[in-house]
Amino acid sequence: MAAAAGDVCGAVAGGRAGAGAGAAAEARFISSAKGKGLFATKNIRKGETVFVERPVVSSQFLWNALYNYRACDHCLRALETAEENAQRLLGKSSLVLPHPEQCSIRKDLHQQCPRCQVTYCSAECRQAALEQYHQVLCLGPSCDDPTHPLNKLQEEVALLGWVTLPGTRAKDKEWWIKAFSQFCSKTANEEEEVVHKLLGDKFKGQLELLRLLFTEALYDEHLSRWFTPEGFRSLFALVGTNGQGIGTSSLSQWVHACDALDLPMLQREELDAFIDQLYKDIEKESGEFLNCEGSGLYVLQSCCNHSCIPNAETSFPENNFLLHLTALEDIEAGEVRQRGPENYLFTCSCPKCLAQADDADVTSDEEEEGEGETDDAELEDEMTDV
């Protein structure tokens, strides 16, 4: 599943998270109203990778984990083999995938926390999690204790659909305070508006309950400002404004690997037909929720101002939390566009939205219905392009 698209118009990350040294864009301050933007530092051709970035923090959605979408607790790499992934989504344990050698999952490398049995894709991820946050979040023998503060917090968070518990996970508090200061921030009135849009009237009153549970489970005097009503609202708004969806899938990785196979024409046609039918059957059984899904905070990506006619898009081709920003068209050095629509928690002034400013409001579903049905080729791309 391709992640949300945006426009090159912003930002460099530093410290433990951030983009690689070859990033072809940098952050620049635009204005107090628009904040930062990501600007190309050189001409970028269509299809080129603008940068690859590691998140400051990320987490799998609780509902996603509840429905047995198994992912590494650190990097969100899918833990199921492609065949297991397809079997679960199809509800058919007897399914056998051809070319099993094209599956990239290495179960022999998986490791668990010996105290709480949380699973990681590798020893490296287990160690990174332990050093950064797992010492704080490990429940040990209290995993099934409903009265434990972390379990109470998790239950409430699941109801609200908000699962990223940043900053408090860290041992190096000052680094995390500095890291979060790089993200887009809002005024008090803007934060209230963000909270309202994220929760609506029904759950807005739950924010204080969530803050109290958050404090009970994770309070740290070095981060005391985050636990005040105003500070917690700011933290909630920061995550809501800057959070980037993450999607990983071992089945998608297998499909891409199969696409690259050099096969005789007849075998190629048979394999393509098998994959097409597999996705149609999975859609009937499981709908559109095919990936291990989560959310992350990316310093550089958060500076990509949204556009309804984007020139770049994010994706996760490495089947983990590493975000790739790829150019959808040629981008000239210094090029910049504007932000996105109201449902993205800001006002859009991109060329498309300016042209449609006086049009009647329509939902995304209504717009898609007006554009007609998606053909099979587009459907497979949407389902497999992680």
Side-chain angles (χ1 to χ4, degrees):
M1 181 181 69
D7 265 15
V8 171
C9 141
V12 276
R16 285 163 269 186
E26 66 179 9
R28 299 177 192 169
F29 181 76
I30 300 175
S31 68
S32 57
K34 297 176 182 176
K36 297 178 182 178
L38 191 64
F39 290 80
T41 57
K42 63 179 183 179
N43 292 338
I44 304 170
R45 301 279 71 85
K46 179 180 179 180
E48 288 185 6
T49 299
V50 182
F51 61 77
V52 178
E53 184 176 16
R54 180 186 299 268
V56 173
V57 65
S58 62
S59 178
Q60 184 181 7
F61 292 139
L62 290 178
W63 70 263
N64 200 250
L66 180 66
Y67 283 93
N68 298 316
Y69 290 74
R70 298 179 56 240
C72 174
D73 200 58
H74 182 65
C75 77
L76 272 68
R77 183 183 300 277
L79 297 176
E80 296 173 305
T81 65
E83 188 167 273
E84 290 171 338
N85 191 184
Q87 288 173 345
R88 175 176 55 80
L89 292 173
L90 194 58
K92 186 177 180 181
S93 60
S94 61
L95 175 72
V96 176
L97 292 183
H99 301 287
E101 75 283 356
Q102 298 303 314
C103 177
S104 61
I105 301 303
R106 292 283 306 277
K107 285 197 165 187
D108 57 308
L109 299 180
H110 294 179
Q111 294 199 3
Q112 289 186 321
C113 170
R115 298 188 67 243
C116 67
Q117 282 69 58
V118 162
T119 305
Y120 302 96
C121 68
S122 65
E124 291 77 12
C125 274
R126 178 188 164 192
Q127 186 61 32
L130 185 65
E131 293 175 354
Q132 294 176 29
Y133 56 84
H134 193 64
Q135 291 184 52
V136 176
L137 296 183
C138 182
L139 287 165
S142 300
C143 288
D144 298 321
D145 179 5
T147 65
H148 190 283
L150 282 174
N151 283 331
K152 290 163 63 178
L153 175 61
Q154 179 170 280
E155 180 180 356
E156 193 64 31
V157 166
L159 290 174
L160 292 172
W162 184 59
V163 297
T164 306
L165 304 178
T168 53
R169 291 179 165 192
K171 293 189 296 182
D172 186 351
K173 312 297 182 183
E174 293 302 320
W175 184 91
W176 285 79
I177 291 174
K178 183 178 179 181
F180 282 110
S181 70
Q182 299 177 75
F183 290 97
C184 171
S185 59
K186 301 286 185 181
T187 66
N189 288 338
E190 289 173 328
E191 287 171 353
E192 281 289 349
E193 185 178 358
V194 169
V195 170
H196 177 76
K197 288 181 178 179
L198 287 173
L199 298 181
D201 293 331
K202 182 177 181 181
F203 288 111
K204 190 176 179 181
Q206 295 277 11
L207 190 63
E208 177 60 14
L209 173 61
L210 184 60
R211 184 187 71 84
L212 294 174
L213 292 171
F214 194 78
T215 302
E216 180 185 5
L218 298 167
Y219 182 79
D220 187 298
E221 62 180 11
H222 293 95
L223 303 171
S224 59
R225 65 183 183 185
W226 286 357
F227 295 90
T228 66
E230 296 77 14
F232 188 71
R233 181 191 61 200
S234 296
L235 189 63
F236 192 92
L238 182 150
V239 173
T241 303
N242 295 279
Q244 164 66 46
I246 301 171
T248 64
S249 168
S250 52
L251 179 59
S252 171
Q253 293 286 300
W254 174 82
V255 170
H256 284 299
C258 286
D259 287 343
L261 288 175
D262 184 12
L263 299 174
M265 183 178 295
L266 181 58
Q267 292 184 31
R268 166 55 59 193
E269 291 175 350
E270 291 175 347
L271 180 58
D272 289 348
F274 174 86
I275 292 173
D276 289 344
Q277 188 59 49
L278 174 64
Y279 274 109
K280 290 176 182 178
D281 293 342
I282 287 176
E283 185 189 23
K284 292 178 182 177
E285 179 68 24
S286 299
E288 61 184 11
F289 297 106
L290 307 184
N291 300 327
C292 296
E293 296 183 358
S295 182
L297 293 177
Y298 296 83
V299 175
L300 192 55
Q301 179 275 335
S302 71
C303 293
C304 293
N305 289 338
H306 173 90
S307 173
C308 298
I309 46 174
N311 60 8
E313 70 175 352
T314 60
S315 61
F316 300 88
E318 298 186 47
N319 194 32
N320 60 15
F321 60 18
L322 289 178
L323 179 150
H324 290 235
L325 186 74
T326 305
L328 294 176
E329 60 185 49
D330 290 348
I331 302 172
E332 301 303 317
E335 186 172 338
V336 55
R337 292 187 191 161
Q338 306 302 323
R339 284 189 174 272
E342 183 179 359
N343 286 338
Y344 283 87
L345 309 180
F346 48 78
T347 301
C348 187
S349 56
C350 77
K352 179 178 180 180
C353 286
L354 288 176
Q356 297 177 349
D358 297 326
D359 293 353
D361 290 337
V362 295
T363 65
S364 297
D365 290 340
E366 290 170 338
E367 185 175 17
E368 289 174 2
E369 288 175 5
E371 293 173 353
E373 296 295 325
T374 303
D375 62 33
D376 292 343
E378 290 175 341
L379 177 63
E380 182 183 339
D381 286 343
E382 291 174 1
M383 289 177 147
T384 63
D385 191 13
V386 175

